[in-house]
Amino acid sequence: MMPRAFRRLVHLVLFCPLSKGLQSRLPAIKVKYLLLAWLGILIASWVIYMQYASYSELCRGHVCHMVICDHYRRGIISGSSCKALCDQRTLTLQHCMSTSSTYQVYSGLWKERPVVIKCSIEDPVKIEGAPDSVLRQEMTLFDKPTRGTSMDEFKEMLHGFLKANLGEQPSLSTLVDRVITLADVNQDGKVSLAEAKSIWALLQINEFLLMVALQEKEHTAKLLGFCGDLYVTERVGHNSLYRLEIPSYLQALVPEALSAGLNHWLAPSWPRRARITIGLLEFVEEVFHGSYGSFLICDASPRHVGYNAKYDCKMANLRSVASEAVVRGYLRGRRCETNADCTYGQDCTATCDRLVKQCNTEVVQPNLAKVCVLLQDYLLFGAPSDLRGDLEKQLRTCVTLSGLASQMEVHHSLVLNNLKTLLWKKISNTQYS
């Protein structure tokens, strides 16, 4: 809450007219300038209020900390980060970066190392409001596996879950072993009930599952630890392609051309943007027919693509990436009237068969085409004049790619490699390569 003295000062400035004596002493001040000043104060007060309101609604890291540490102290969950978070206090939450009240994201420190801490909690609207009601809701998250489940049974649970979420892949057994190794926090060759409950809860989080499946890939943030369904990743230096992000409550007041112009001005130099782009294209390659199937980018937003201090692309947010098996399962047999009814996530859209009023299962726009839509804005401004024509041509070809199976293999690889080669030729043998 604002201090009482500050509220009184604001009230006096806004609602008390200037005295005649003061007006006579300030003849140069005109009424319109006073109105503009008062308007500025009103807008600034509104912005501060909205910032405070959005922060209090979105940022509930203290709830995450309370729930996780309560479960840890009661022996319900385990994890490699639990002692640091709850006992030693060497893992601390600092700056809130949440965009959803049910998915908490904080920058923090773990033994002085910059990290990102992520945690899912219940929607505050759906719970009773008291702290113990939050704890009761979270209890259902850690109800599997049950006491008495053998290691073989747990492995079968994991295999079935991974098959349902990634599709039938020949390397699923390897991924099951990777999950078991990750769950065995004390490295005693066994998985306790608390360890099993924690890893099972984490696997229900799409981003965590993808981080485990893609952990050897260069362009995904590294998983550093977890406690229950809270997990810790390396911090990406820049967590968006653009440095300036206008809050939603200000977007109506700030012209799009102004925000775009400011982002262009604040962006890295073109050779560095080219290096980031090459990394992004490599990520598209990595998730297309990888070891554990294909993955689809279902919200190609610049907010999800980051880069580090060396301008290497790092995906800052994998929540919008889904396995092809999950997307197809969602679309299969789904009733529809228009193509918009056949959308998974933000923009993984298939066509609607209007004869049978059911969705087809092939997504129309592939990952590469979505990424190239981003690159048309990010890569073309400031591009070298001798490259710009070829670059525009390559990007135009790229954004028109179809997701149909007949085009997916050779054509997509050709377009992607041509674009990478064009950029590498320009920055190779320079400090940016």
Side-chain angles (χ1 to χ4, degrees), residues 252-269:
L253 300 176
V254 180
E256 188 175 343
L258 175 61
S259 61
L262 287 172
N263 270 317
H264 288 180
W265 182 63
L266 293 169
S269 62

Side-chain angles (χ1 to χ4, degrees), residues 272 275 427 429-433:
R272 285 173 171 158
R275 180 180 173 87
I427 67 170
N429 301 320
T430 69
Q431 60 177 317
Y432 305 106
S433 62

Side-chain angles (χ1 to χ4, degrees), residues 208-254:
F208 183 87
L209 173 59
L210 292 177
M211 290 183 76
V212 174
L214 302 172
Q215 73 172 22
E216 75 280 2
K217 303 301 183 184
E218 182 182 352
H219 301 293
T220 54
K222 301 304 178 189
L223 179 67
L224 302 179
F226 63 91
C227 181
D229 65 334
L230 175 149
Y231 57 106
V232 185
T233 71
E234 67 173 327
R235 189 189 299 181
V236 178
H238 302 274
N239 58 6
S240 175
L241 278 183
Y242 296 114
R243 298 183 182 181
L244 178 66
E245 186 173 345
I246 306 297
S248 57
Y249 54 83
L250 284 179
Q251 288 175 359
L253 300 176
V254 180

Side-chain angles (χ1 to χ4, degrees), residues 7 13 63 104 116 129 134 162 211 214 244 270 294 303 322 339 345 347 372 393-394 402 413 416:
R7 291 203 306 272
V13 171
V63 177
Q104 297 297 292
V116 174
V134 181
L162 295 174
M211 290 183 76
L214 302 172
L244 178 66
W270 187 87
S294 296
R303 296 190 304 272
N339 289 353
D347 55 18
C372 286
K393 182 180 177 181
Q394 292 281 357
S402 165
S413 297
L416 190 147

Side-chain angles (χ1 to χ4, degrees), residues 5 19 135 142 193 268 276 309 311 314 326 356:
S19 67
L135 296 177
F142 303 107
L193 184 61
I276 295 167
Y311 299 93
K314 290 279 186 178
V326 165
V356 295

